Amino acid sequence: MKRKTLVLPAVIGLLTPVLAACGGSDGGGGGGEAIVVGTTDKFTVSKEAPAPLDPAYAYDIGTWNILRHTVQTLMAQPRGEGEPEPEAAESCRFTDSGNERYTCTLREGLEFANGDPVTAEDVKFSIDRARSIEADSGVYALLSTIELVETKGDREVIFHLNSPDATLPFKLSTPVAGIVNSKDYAKDKLRDGVEVDGSGPYTLKAEMENGALAKIVFTKNPTYKGILTPKNDKVELRAFDDADAMGAALEKGDIQVMTRSMTPEQIDKLSASSGGDIDLVETSGLEIRYLGFNTTAEPVKDAAVRQAMAQLIDRGKLITEVYGTQAAPLFSLVPAGVTGHTNSFFNRYGEADRGKAEELLTEAGVTTPVKLTLHYTTDHYGSATKQEFEQLQKQLNDSGLFDVDIEGTPWETFRPAEMDGEYAVYGMGWFPDFADADSFTAPFLDANNMLGSPYDNSEIRKTLIPESRRAADRLNAAESINRIQDIVARDVPVLPLWQGKQYLAARDGITGAEWAINSSAILQLWELGRGVTG
């Protein structure tokens, strides 16, 4: 059999995949054994994060991928990253000309998996709960433009906004807006542990080992009413310590699908092979990687130090040495493929240039070499992260302008330390909340941002972000978005590095793999089925 690579297009909202070889993926059935999917995402319960799967707390791609299968939202973005469609809602729309009042009507007969009716009061409870708890993950900031949630009868919900926000339908498609039952979730505190109850397409049963989720079994919810059509009755998500162990399990047939995160070597091997029974799905990606700065910390509180790093780092070389064709240089917070993208960092700094970096430091009176530590997480973004930071270290140290150490830390320690401002410089990744430029600007730059960053630019917060949200046609937001990107390139509170593709590998006999991951790294396991491929 000839191996095939399914290549999904880069255009957001274009849902027809391009098949680079023979074979298809139609058909599939819901019966039979569970489809087993491997991941290296870590799901831990700890003192710092006792409630990782509470919609009012969860704010990373791994936990959101769990919640999207179990907790229903008013809106959803099935398959592609186009306009959200009503999901738990029958209909939703702005009911004023200024995008400040948004009304949703729930589907009739909607139920939680336990049989309790889902009402407008449940929606209000869930949204108000997330906003009032204000979890330290910062996810509640997605709902910051909501001033008041009103209900009329059992099925109508009205959102009154404190400022125009054309992106609200997107935000209501994210798990923080997930509808939960007040019988299962307290109003004023998070739900500790890994139990999840909702009205989504699946119910969940989790198995723990040494404080971490080892296996999650999704079982089709017979009471679900929405726009998704699960192609299977059961999916098992199995966590692996590393990508090599996950790959070995796929080769042996212990799992049928593997997803994030595969190593660059695994992807290259699957891409190059012309035989076998494993197919690789590749899609353009909106995942970004960047360096974040605590702009009040020594030695990076002087903007010239951050600017010099922006001037020195050779993104092309970094990608060539570590990721190859699986990533592309990124010169802005807003990646290519998203309306409003512009290469602000390249426009300001051009190619990597030691002389210009030295000039920036000299003019600012900064003594060189600048000594600092780059912090990264060892277990959250894949095994290549260490190699990436070794390359960054080499580039900065080879200039003679910096004296850089690197330090890796597990995510469960890394993330709280970063939020507490313990790191002057740190590496992070970002998978958008939704495919709009607002999801690449506000989470980093607005008040209560998800980095806990002290950087505060009044023009961005008070003028440009609100201005960009007024535009119902997102093309009309481009001017404000471009200005935000130019300010970020000047001040460098964050330093964009690269934009990555998304990959998934599936054994023959599994259908729907081309739809099971999208460019935002959202898993859509309801698309997987069993049938004939090849």
Side-chain angles (χ1 to χ4, degrees):
M1 187 211 80
K2 178 177 174 59
R3 185 185 309 276
K4 56 184 176 291
T5 299
L6 310 180
V7 183
L8 298 184
V11 180
I12 293 172
L14 185 60
L15 299 179
T16 304
V18 178
L19 280 72
C22 63
S25 58
D26 293 333
E33 298 178 356
I35 297 172
V36 185
V37 178
T39 180
T40 59
D41 282 334
K42 298 294 188 295
F43 311 103
T44 58
V45 178
S46 65
K47 181 179 179 181
E48 293 80 11
L53 298 184
D54 190 316
Y57 176 85
Y59 203 14
D60 65 76
I61 191 65
T63 53
W64 270 23
N65 277 333
I66 294 174
L67 291 174
R68 289 182 191 277
H69 290 79
T70 51
V71 179
Q72 203 170 13
T73 49
L74 289 170
M75 304 291 285
Q77 293 177 268
R79 288 193 168 177
E81 285 90 4
E83 293 293 322
E85 301 175 21
E87 160 62 345
E90 178 181 274
S91 64
C92 287
R93 65 188 181 92
F94 282 103
T95 53
D96 69 326
S97 59
N99 294 333
E100 291 184 283
R101 188 171 64 248
Y102 194 69
T103 301
C104 292
T105 302
L106 290 175
R107 293 180 184 273
E108 192 168 2
L110 205 63
E111 295 181 354
F112 290 108
N114 68 357
D116 289 347
V118 176
T119 69
E121 280 299 325
D122 293 308
V123 176
K124 175 178 169 58
F125 169 83
S126 303
I127 300 293
D128 286 347
R129 176 178 180 269
R131 293 167 59 223
S132 64
I133 288 177
E134 294 189 352
D136 58 14
S137 65
V139 68
Y140 68 92
L142 280 170
L143 307 175
S144 63
T145 57
I146 297 174
E147 181 72 26
L148 175 69
V149 184
E150 177 188 2
T151 63
K152 287 188 176 180
D154 287 339
R155 295 176 56 206
E156 188 172 350
V157 186
I158 304 168
F159 296 93
H160 299 272
L161 308 185
N162 52 38
S163 60
D165 188 1
T167 69
L168 183 67
F170 291 94
K171 294 168 181 175
L172 293 179
S173 73
T174 65
V176 69
I179 306 167
V180 299
N181 192 333
S182 60
K183 293 180 181 179
D184 301 313
Y185 293 80
K187 179 181 180 179
D188 56 356
K189 66 178 182 178
L190 296 172
R191 183 180 182 180
D192 291 354
V194 293
E195 289 185 286
V196 181
D197 295 283
S199 56
Y202 294 92
T203 59
L204 174 151
K205 182 178 180 181
E207 294 184 13
M208 302 286 293
E209 288 183 7
N210 301 319
L213 278 171
K215 182 169 71 174
I216 301 165
V217 178
F218 298 103
T219 301
K220 188 176 178 179
N221 175 12
T223 69
Y224 166 72
K225 292 183 179 181
I227 58 176
L228 306 176
T229 305
K231 309 298 194 306
N232 57 71
D233 290 334
K234 187 175 291 187
V235 180
E236 177 183 315
L237 189 64
R238 190 177 298 176
F240 288 85
D241 289 336
D242 56 65
D244 290 336
M246 179 172 64
L250 184 70
E251 291 286 348
K252 289 178 9 183
D254 291 341
I255 64 176
Q256 287 77 55
V257 179
M258 73 173 178
T259 179
R260 55 181 312 272
S261 298
M262 290 180 264
T263 66
E265 293 76 17
Q266 285 174 323
I267 294 167
D268 286 342
K269 180 180 177 181
L270 288 168
S271 297
S273 179
S274 59
D277 54 4
I278 298 172
D279 307 323
L280 182 69
V281 175
E282 173 190 308
T283 180
S284 60
L286 299 181
E287 170 189 5
I288 69 171
R289 297 287 177 86
Y290 60 94
L291 293 178
F293 297 93
N294 178 348
T295 54
T296 62
E298 296 286 357
V300 298
K301 67 179 182 180
D302 192 323
V305 174
R306 308 192 300 270
Q307 292 165 347
M309 293 175 69
Q311 185 68 73
L312 274 175
I313 291 174
D314 186 334
R315 295 167 176 80
K317 185 175 182 180
L318 172 67
I319 292 167
T320 299
E321 293 292 329
V322 183
Y323 295 104
T325 60
Q326 298 155 29
L330 180 64
F331 293 95
S332 173
L333 273 177
V334 180
V338 175
T339 300
H341 163 78
T342 185
N343 290 313
S344 295
F345 274 79
F346 188 84
N347 295 340
R348 186 174 187 90
Y349 300 100
E351 300 288 351
D353 190 311
R354 184 199 178 282
K356 290 180 180 179
E358 184 175 25
E359 185 177 337
L360 285 166
L361 295 170
T362 300
E363 288 181 355
V366 175
T367 302
T368 58
V370 178
K371 187 173 179 58
L372 54 83
T373 299
L374 305 183
H375 295 267
Y376 67 94
T377 174
T378 57
D379 59 354
H380 198 67
Y381 299 119
S383 59
T385 305
K386 180 181 179 182
Q387 187 181 351
E388 176 183 344
F389 274 75
E390 288 172 343
Q391 176 62 211
L392 289 170
Q393 178 188 35
K394 184 177 188 305
Q395 288 191 20
L396 292 169
N397 286 348
D398 283 353
S399 73
L401 301 175
F402 286 86
D403 179 8
V404 172
D405 291 323
I406 59 174
E407 183 175 315
T409 309
W411 179 254
E412 65 177 335
T413 303
F414 174 90
R415 178 60 168 150
E418 178 274 312
M419 286 290 293
D420 288 343
E422 295 180 21
Y423 304 148
V425 191
Y426 50 90
M428 291 275 281
W430 181 247
F431 304 86
D433 304 324
F434 46 90
D436 184 272
D438 186 78
S439 188
F440 293 94
T441 53
F444 299 89
L445 306 168
D446 211 351
N448 303 313
N449 61 78
M450 63 91 190
L451 293 175
S453 172
Y455 175 74
D456 181 0
N457 181 280
S458 60
E459 182 183 359
I460 290 176
R461 290 188 181 181
K462 295 180 180 179
T463 302
L464 296 174
I465 289 177
E467 190 174 81
S468 72
R469 288 173 173 167
R470 293 190 187 102
D473 183 342
R474 302 309 288 156
L475 286 171
N476 294 332
E479 183 176 348
S480 301
I481 296 295
N482 290 347
R483 173 63 181 157
I484 291 172
Q485 293 168 87
D486 288 344
I487 293 172
V488 170
R490 181 195 69 197
D491 295 350
V492 200
V494 292
L495 176 52
L497 297 173
W498 56 267
Q499 173 179 352
K501 300 177 182 177
Q502 297 301 316
Y503 296 90
L504 178 145
R507 294 187 65 86
D508 272 0
I510 297 299
T511 63
E514 69 270 35
W515 299 120
I517 192 169
N518 67 17
S519 62
S520 299
I522 295 172
L523 288 182
Q524 302 170 141
L525 302 181
W526 52 82
E527 297 285 356
L528 297 174
R530 294 183 185 273
V532 178
T533 58

